[in-house]
Each structure stands twice: as C-alpha cells, then as structure tokens.
Amino acid sequence: TEAFVYVALNVPVLADKTWIEWPQPEATTLNGPYSGDRESVAKLFSGRLSEGRAAVRHLDVGEAIVIDFDTSALPYLGVLISQGYYGPYDSLKGSVFLGIEPTNGIGDDLQTCESTGTLQYIDPGRELAFWVKLSILDESKDDLPTDSATHSKRL
C-alpha cells in the first residue's frame, strides 16, 4: 500500500510531495503512543480506495470513531497526525490531533491535486452528491453501531 506525503514537518523519514510505502516501519513517530512533545505534523493521502472505511481507536478505553464513506465520489482518504506542532498558533502547542478526511483529490490545494492527477472540476449547475457516516463504538462492550450511536449526514 502507498501513501502520498502532502506535508511532513519534524518527521525526518518523510519528504513532502512524495509517494511512500505505507505503513512505514521507519516512521515510528507516526504510530502511537502519540506525544505533544514531538512538535511534528504529517498530512498523508491514500491512493484510490475501493472501500471507504477508516477508524481512530483509543485502545486504553476501548472506544473508536469509525467513518464510512462513498468511494464513488470520495475515493481518497486524507490522514492528519499532529503531535504538538503549533506553527503560528501558540494555543495548540502540546496538543495532539488525529484527523481522517474522505476526499475527492490527493492534496489540500489545486496545484497538488493537478500534479497527482486527481483535480476535479464541477461545472456550473452540476451537482456532486456523496454520503459520509460516522459511528461511535464502545469496543469494550462489543458495541455495534446502532441508530442512536450512528450519525449520518447527506451532503
């Protein structure tokens, strides 16, 4: 499996705008446990997916958030791992963020989407529809998604 590195700051084994094998055994700082002391950030994108499902699990408490999504319209997944990186935002210093983002292109800007061959245009008057489903699971109780724990939004 491959991933596209959109940006990596203070992650020595990764270079911006490159494709890498994923997971990276050398990129141990991208695996948990996470630490705000690292002051690093990495934003990666998957290649084209045939199935849209990703999860973030808190193993200590057995909880997870699962995102299922429509790969016919959103065929890629962006992953953000920020460990204490704060750039111009001092209030974020020491914070840890994990983000999962279904998307229709590889990159957060038009130039990168164009260079990765994933730039899409929506003509005036044309509609683009897709679905995203979020589920919150209590894995310690073998919880399965139920209507009360699952939130869907048609966009």
Side-chain angles (χ1 to χ4, degrees), residues 2-13:
E2 288 187 318
F4 180 79
V5 179
Y6 177 70
V7 66
L9 299 169
N10 297 329
V11 185
V13 297

Side-chain angles (χ1 to χ4, degrees), residues 85-151:
Y85 181 78
Y86 57 96
Y89 308 104
D90 285 338
S91 63
L92 299 179
K93 187 172 185 170
S95 297
V96 174
F97 297 98
L98 298 175
I100 49 178
E101 169 191 12
T103 182
N104 64 346
I106 295 174
D108 281 342
D109 60 83
L110 295 176
Q111 182 180 2
T112 303
C113 288
E114 188 170 46
S115 72
T116 58
T118 60
L119 182 62
Q120 295 184 29
Y121 294 95
I122 302 173
D123 294 325
R126 183 174 158 234
E127 183 178 296
L128 177 64
F130 56 87
W131 58 266
V132 174
K133 177 178 147 185
L134 296 175
S135 303
I136 300 170
L137 306 179
D138 183 347
E139 294 178 324
S140 68
K141 298 178 183 175
D142 294 325
D143 191 19
L144 297 174
T146 63
D147 289 338
S148 62
T150 303
H151 305 282

Side-chain angles (χ1 to χ4, degrees), residues 45-63:
F45 288 86
S46 71
R48 182 173 288 277
L49 301 172
S50 59
E51 183 180 342
R53 174 168 262 213
V56 174
R57 289 182 164 79
H58 192 302
L59 298 176
D60 292 344
V61 295
E63 294 176 345

